[in-house]
Amino acid sequence: MEYSELMNYREVSHISVSPSPAPEAAASAPASSENSLDSSAIFTGPCKSYLVFQIEGSMMPPDGPDSWPAKLSRRQWLVFYRINGMSMQGGGLIDGRGEKWWGLPCKPHKGVNGSTLPGPCDSPVAIRFFWSSNLTVQGIKIKNSPQFNFRFDNCHDVYIDSLYVKAPSGSPNTDGIHIENTNNVKIHNSVISNGDDCVSIGAGSFNVDIKNITCGPSHGISIGSLGIRNSRACVSNITVTDSTIKHSDNGVRIKTWQGGFGAVSNVKFNNIHMDTVRNPIIIDQYYCDTKKCLNQTPAVYIRDISYSSIKGTYDVRSPPMHLACSDSIPCTNLSISDIELFPAQGQRFLDPFCWNAYGDIKTITVPPVFCLLEGSPQSLPANDVDKC
């Protein structure tokens, strides 16, 4: 596949990435089912008409860091920039060949004796969209991405349906779908199994609908992490419904760093089945990926979060509900109803954990959530609360 063939598309409405033999071999050999794109590619709009990116056969990047072109960025493989109106579809498979990237000593716990060593650690996102709109990703299969599988930055009106993502549970930073500063997103009818979040929702994102997702093994479905390096983060109007999370480190999670600003608001988690999940319901406002994070007073404000009809089993290494809100800015208006979470092994129930979390219990829950503070706090430190 020639790089120039992929890049010269502004005059066309359909790009087909499919297996084909070399011309001299076509008469005597069957078509190969694999294509290797030997460098990263940036597709830059605007296009003159709606674009269809059709994937057939098997499509692969260079095989690991040593094969990556030295002069090209290692941060992404296929990039789509300023595209308005595009469908990525097809019956093919994207094989990210991420194994050699996952084992770099700079990756978490991949150094000597499980350490994480310093040094350059860029690894390519498989498919990345910037400043694009009216996007459909449908029926795509992708496995073993070096890092994130799909990432959307500063996009709007995104529809993802029937996506299949697979990577080993120990593959670091292989989020299935990550969105940042992106709105009006629908993620439906997909199966994701990987070594990080099935879906992660970053700062500046709103109006996101996640429905009928089978997630796991993984780190669950996450809002965050937010507020890193004292940054402002606003996330609102998120729904996760009719989904299953299984054999995962977390279920539905909101995670923020100490010292951030902004707010997470109007989030609904409804009708979610948990199968042997550690931390099925978790708010973590003390998120830290090292052991060197300092205590800080400012915090992202979490409010108007609804948990309803969440049922199944939890891994008894952690409580079924962990609501660890900021010391200085409590979580408010947490609504909990129709929760039934049983230990996956044994008969001993673990009590939920709450810290500075306010809200209402609408129905009887299993186990009971006695630790949730009723009503609202008497006051909030107005100078520290940024309601976005």
Side-chain angles (χ1 to χ4, degrees):
M1 185 186 310
E2 295 293 333
Y3 182 74
S4 58
E5 291 177 19
L6 284 172
M7 295 299 290
N8 185 22
Y9 71 96
R10 289 195 184 190
E11 301 293 330
V12 303
S13 61
H14 191 109
I15 298 174
S16 180
V17 181
S18 58
S20 58
E24 62 273 14
S28 59
S32 168
S33 62
E34 296 183 349
N35 259 314
S36 178
L37 178 57
D38 293 328
S39 64
S40 58
I42 301 176
F43 301 82
T44 302
C47 304
K48 289 191 173 182
S49 62
Y50 191 87
L51 179 67
V52 176
F53 192 96
Q54 185 82 16
I55 297 176
E56 302 295 344
S58 182
M59 187 177 180
M60 298 177 293
D63 187 15
D66 292 340
S67 300
W68 200 263
K71 295 182 180 181
L72 294 179
S73 170
R74 292 188 174 192
R75 294 187 176 183
Q76 55 260 328
W77 179 40
L78 298 180
V79 179
F80 298 86
Y81 178 68
R82 293 194 179 276
I83 307 294
N84 180 15
M86 172 181 156
S87 177
M88 177 178 284
Q89 60 191 41
L93 171 68
I94 299 170
D95 182 352
R97 301 204 286 191
E99 293 88 344
K100 294 177 182 178
W101 298 94
W102 304 332
L104 291 173
C106 57
K107 297 289 184 178
H109 314 299
K110 298 296 183 179
V112 178
N113 297 324
S115 62
T116 302
L117 301 181
C121 209
D122 288 343
S123 300
V125 175
I127 300 173
R128 193 167 189 179
F129 291 87
F130 287 100
W131 295 99
S132 296
S133 59
N134 299 311
L135 306 171
T136 297
V137 177
Q138 190 163 24
I140 298 296
K141 298 180 180 66
I142 181 169
K143 71 174 185 178
N144 297 337
S145 177
Q147 198 174 17
F148 294 176
N149 289 266
F150 283 85
R151 177 166 178 150
F152 297 84
D153 292 89
N154 298 97
C155 296
H156 64 86
D157 297 295
V158 177
Y159 178 58
I160 300 170
D161 186 81
S162 302
L163 183 68
Y164 181 84
V165 175
K166 186 170 181 60
S169 60
S171 56
N173 306 122
T174 52
D175 296 53
I177 303 165
H178 179 76
I179 65 172
E180 193 98 9
N181 294 306
T182 292
N183 63 83
N184 297 334
V185 179
K186 293 182 179 180
I187 304 171
H188 293 173
N189 309 317
S190 297
V191 178
I192 303 172
S193 172
N194 58 5
D196 213 299
D197 298 321
C198 288
V199 181
S200 53
I201 301 170
S205 298
F206 59 92
N207 295 345
V208 179
D209 179 54
I210 300 169
K211 186 174 183 179
N212 193 26
I213 302 298
T214 300
C215 167
S218 72
H219 292 183
I221 297 173
S222 294
I223 297 173
S225 61
L226 304 175
I228 188 171
R229 291 187 288 274
N230 307 107
S231 61
R232 183 174 183 264
C234 297
V235 173
S236 63
N237 298 337
I238 312 295
T239 62
V240 181
T241 61
D242 305 335
S243 295
T244 296
I245 302 175
K246 57 184 181 180
H247 303 284
S248 296
D249 286 349
N250 303 285
V252 290
R253 175 167 61 158
I254 301 173
K255 52 179 177 175
T256 73
W257 296 77
Q258 294 186 72
F261 295 87
V264 177
S265 63
N266 194 20
V267 178
K268 296 179 175 63
F269 300 110
N270 176 58
N271 193 27
I272 300 172
H273 177 71
M274 302 286 179
D275 179 1
T276 319
V277 174
R278 193 173 182 179
N279 301 307
I281 297 172
I282 176 169
I283 294 175
D284 180 8
Q285 294 215 260
Y286 302 88
Y287 179 75
C288 177
D289 60 1
T290 70
K291 296 181 179 180
K292 301 179 181 179
C293 297
L294 300 175
N295 289 329
Q296 299 185 62
T297 299
V300 175
Y301 179 31
I302 296 176
R303 62 181 176 90
D304 303 328
I305 315 296
S306 172
Y307 302 96
S308 61
S309 191
I310 299 177
K311 302 178 181 182
T313 60
Y314 63 93
D315 185 321
V316 295
R317 289 177 295 172
S318 298
M321 194 176 301
H322 182 97
L323 306 176
C325 300
S326 165
D327 285 330
S328 56
I329 301 177
C331 305
T332 63
N333 199 24
L334 306 183
S335 175
I336 296 174
S337 64
D338 200 19
I339 306 297
E340 295 180 2
L341 293 169
F342 296 88
Q345 294 180 334
Q347 301 296 319
R348 189 171 72 91
F349 282 84
L350 298 179
D351 292 330
F353 172 83
C354 308
W355 182 259
N356 214 15
Y358 287 79
D360 295 301
I361 309 296
K362 304 292 186 182
T363 66
I364 295 174
T365 66
V366 179
V369 190
F370 296 125
C371 60
L372 188 68
L373 300 172
E374 294 184 357
S376 301
Q378 291 184 348
S379 63
L380 288 170
N383 292 337
D384 293 329
V385 173
D386 184 343
K387 296 183 180 181
C388 297

